[in-house]
Structures are given as structure tokens and as C-alpha cells.
Amino acid sequence: MPKFDKHEEAVMRLMFGLADSVEEAQPSEILEEAEKRGVNLLDEAEEVRGVLRSAGRAYLQRKLRESRAAYEAAVTNIHEQNYDLPGSVSGRRQLLEGVLRERPQFQGIVMTAQHRNFGELTDEDVTSFLRQLKILGLLDMPATPTTK
């Protein structure tokens, strides 16, 4: 059972109080009141069901929205950071090749099933892999690869 804050508890008490008052009322009283006010109870019931479904869905999805916002903030942060990567496409590709040559255990991290052929990686993929390795602290090699 989820925990509720003070506001949610107050809303829940109000809803339960309304439900109790309707439950305790005589059906003839409810029908008479609705007729007096020109209210179609079936339309009202459908509207209430819709509001409750919408509110329930919104409540259940709040963690998803929070997670999505955190993810988007992290992605924005990744793109805004300076990673000290080579400025050229070939330089970044050489750096990644050097990292994979020096640390073959990274091959499984970088080369997923969709990127089995290193030559087919786009510059965006290479840059993304280098950024991820930097963020993880796994790229302590200089920005300009040295030749042996």
C-alpha cells in the first residue's frame, strides 16, 4: 500500500466521506435530488469514473515521470560536459581504437550486437562511447593517442 502525504490523506478522507454519505442515503433521496436538479446520473457516473481513472493513472505514473525527468537531466548533463576528446572524427576514432587495443575487456562494453563492425560506427556512436567511458572513469588515456 503506497504512503500518502498530508494532502493526499485529506483528499482520501474527503472521498471516503462522500462515499459514505452516498452509501447511507436512501436511493429515493438520491434520485429525487438528481431529478430536482436535472442531473442525468448515468452521465455523472461516467464522468466521475473518467476523473477517477485519470487521477489514478496520473498518480501511478508519477514515479515514471520523475524517472524520465531525472534521465533527461542526466542526458542533458552528459551533452553539456566538456570531455577533452579529440576535435576530429579520425582522432576520436583513433582514441577509441587505442582504448580497445589497450583494454580489450572494454570490447564487450562498447561493441554491442548492433555495432559488431567497428568500421561501421558513426562519429556520433564513437563520441558517445568515449563520453560514456569518461563518465565511468574508464578513459584515463590522453585525448591525443600516442603511436607506438
Side-chain angles (χ1 to χ4, degrees):
M1 185 77 173
K3 290 189 176 188
F4 299 110
D5 64 21
K6 283 184 176 184
H7 175 72
E8 291 169 328
E9 285 180 15
V11 170
M12 293 296 283
R13 280 194 301 276
L14 175 66
M15 287 176 30
F16 287 128
L18 287 171
D20 289 344
S21 72
V22 169
E23 183 181 49
E24 293 168 4
Q26 295 297 319
S28 59
E29 289 176 36
I30 295 172
L31 291 172
E32 188 177 306
E33 184 70 26
E35 188 176 316
K36 207 186 297 182
R37 296 185 186 272
V39 174
N40 181 333
L41 291 178
L42 294 176
D43 291 344
E44 291 295 313
E46 189 57 40
E47 185 178 338
V48 168
R49 263 193 295 279
V51 168
L52 291 175
R53 271 193 210 110
S54 177
R57 189 176 306 114
Y59 178 78
L60 293 174
Q61 291 181 345
R62 81 185 158 146
K63 292 288 186 190
L64 176 63
R65 285 190 306 276
E66 291 169 5
S67 296
R68 184 169 301 187
Y71 168 77
E72 289 172 3
V75 168
T76 299
N77 184 34
I78 287 170
H79 288 289
E80 290 176 351
Q81 284 186 20
N82 181 10
Y83 292 96
D84 186 32
L85 298 175
S88 69
V89 173
S90 63
R92 288 188 293 274
R93 191 170 290 276
Q94 286 176 356
L95 176 59
L96 185 58
E97 286 174 353
V99 168
L100 295 177
R101 188 174 46 254
E102 294 290 324
R103 298 187 177 167
Q105 68 271 24
F106 291 176
Q107 185 84 23
I109 296 171
V110 174
M111 305 304 284
T112 61
Q114 70 187 47
H115 299 107
R116 290 183 192 260
N117 186 351
F118 187 82
E120 293 178 6
L121 289 177
T122 66
D123 181 48
E124 188 176 307
D125 291 333
V126 170
T127 303
S128 175
F129 291 141
L130 289 171
R131 284 178 176 168
Q132 291 173 37
L133 291 172
K134 280 259 189 189
I135 289 167
L136 294 171
L138 301 175
L139 187 62
D140 55 6
M141 299 177 77
T144 309
T146 56
T147 56
K148 290 187 178 183

